[in-house]
Amino acid sequence: IVDVCRDRTGLFSYLGIKSDWYVTLRNQGPYLYTIFAKLYQGLDGYDVSLTPREQSYYEAVMESNVRSVDLSNATHIFLLDPYPMGLVPLIKARYPGIKVICLFHFDMSHAKETSKAYFYSLIRKADFAVFYRPEYVPEGFPLPVSYIQHGINPLNLINREVSPEWIEAVLKKYGLDPNTPLVLQVSRFHRMKDPLTGILAFNDAKKIMLQQGKDLQYAFVGIPLSQGERNVAKGLKRCLSWLRKNRG
């Protein structure tokens, strides 16, 4: 997300459009992230929804965040992901002339009705929404929608081509065999990414491969950014250590 925001603001500046991006919802404690998880999971199709107490807490956090940023010179606001959508009615109330565009990158077509009802009440006053694919839009979505396919910035260093020598050096550094099939998982070390399931699925697949006289490798690529993610990373290391000792 940081790369996306940085690249977009850089592109806007190149085009002569003054822009900036803000990180909100910081340092609010673990309770807020529990609410975020339920909000996301409900829109992702899980049978969960926010309680009235959780909704009140979430809306209070949104109120504190909208007061922390001066948007008086802005003409358009892009809100990314479902988490800050509680800002929509607050921005519209404070800055009625600003156009608010909501950007969603995941499939909400299986969202539960209770989750949709609350979510729609938050975003209803926005001006527009952008999804990556038409099939991601949930039924009864209350905003005009456009679609922009997901892509990469080819000028970003993380998307540059790398030499075979560099690839060989990285594989050697981490003890990976270039001639053995590799399962690669790339994500943050976050519980919502469910890294443990990926590890357990790999272990099951490896057992099957070994029975067929073949082998399989696994690599998890990610950077633990917060203390919570560092704790998850430590837990995954313990899990991998156990699997090495007990795998079939």
Side-chain angles (χ1 to χ4, degrees):
I1 291 175
V2 171
D3 285 336
V4 169
C5 294
R6 182 182 60 207
D7 292 344
R8 282 177 179 166
T9 52
L11 176 61
F12 285 156
S13 297
Y14 178 78
L15 296 173
I17 303 172
K18 185 178 180 181
S19 64
D20 203 349
W21 60 280
Y22 300 93
V23 178
T24 59
L25 316 176
R26 294 176 294 183
N27 304 319
Q28 302 289 343
Y31 183 55
L32 179 63
Y33 293 101
T34 299
I35 294 173
F36 281 172
K38 292 180 68 174
L39 179 63
Y40 186 99
Q41 290 166 358
L43 294 172
D44 199 29
Y46 292 89
D47 192 17
V48 295
S49 59
L50 300 185
T51 65
R53 178 174 179 268
E54 289 169 336
Q55 291 178 9
S56 296
Y57 184 87
Y58 171 76
E59 291 164 13
V61 171
M62 297 297 110
E63 179 68 40
S64 68
N65 274 271
V66 79
R67 290 198 303 265
S68 69
V69 180
D70 182 9
L71 302 175
S72 57
N73 292 323
T75 58
H76 295 74
I77 298 292
F78 295 86
L79 296 176
L80 181 62
D81 272 349
Y83 311 125
M85 292 303 152
L87 295 173
V88 171
L90 302 173
I91 292 173
K92 281 297 196 177
R94 282 173 169 258
Y95 310 97
I98 288 180
K99 300 294 185 182
V100 178
I101 298 95
C102 304
L103 300 152
F104 303 113
H105 74 280
F106 68 102
D107 185 355
M108 290 197 288
S109 62
H110 302 290
K112 297 298 181 182
E113 291 300 322
T114 51
S115 297
K116 285 199 299 185
Y118 179 63
F119 189 65
Y120 288 177
S121 73
L122 297 175
I123 66 172
R124 197 172 300 278
K125 292 185 178 181
D127 296 278
F128 206 75
V130 176
F131 284 82
Y132 286 160
R133 301 171 67 91
E135 56 265 34
Y136 286 2
V137 183
E139 185 178 352
F141 193 75
L143 302 176
V145 175
S146 187
Y147 311 104
I148 300 177
Q149 290 188 348
H150 185 54
I152 63 171
N153 178 3
L155 303 179
N156 192 307
L157 287 177
I158 65 173
N159 296 317
R160 71 188 187 280
E161 291 189 25
V162 294
S163 67
E165 294 77 16
W166 189 89
I167 295 172
E168 183 179 352
V170 171
L171 293 175
K172 184 177 180 180
K173 178 180 179 180
Y174 293 102
L176 297 170
D177 182 357
N179 298 312
T180 300
L182 172 66
V183 175
L184 178 64
Q185 183 169 349
V186 182
S187 76
R188 291 184 291 113
F189 291 89
H190 195 284
R191 288 183 178 86
M192 285 182 64
K193 305 296 183 182
D194 198 10
L196 181 58
T197 296
I199 293 174
L200 296 176
F202 158 74
N203 189 54
D204 291 342
K206 185 176 179 71
K207 289 179 181 179
I208 296 173
M209 295 286 282
L210 290 174
Q211 290 171 1
Q212 298 173 356
K214 303 175 184 179
D215 202 358
L216 189 64
Q217 303 175 106
Y218 175 82
F220 191 120
V221 180
I223 301 174
L225 300 177
S226 66
Q227 183 58 49
E229 292 182 8
R230 286 191 285 271
N231 291 337
V232 172
K234 291 177 182 177
L236 291 177
K237 288 180 180 179
R238 290 194 293 269
C239 178
L240 284 171
S241 178
W242 181 88
L243 286 174
R244 292 190 187 100
K245 295 177 182 179
N246 296 276
R247 67 188 180 192

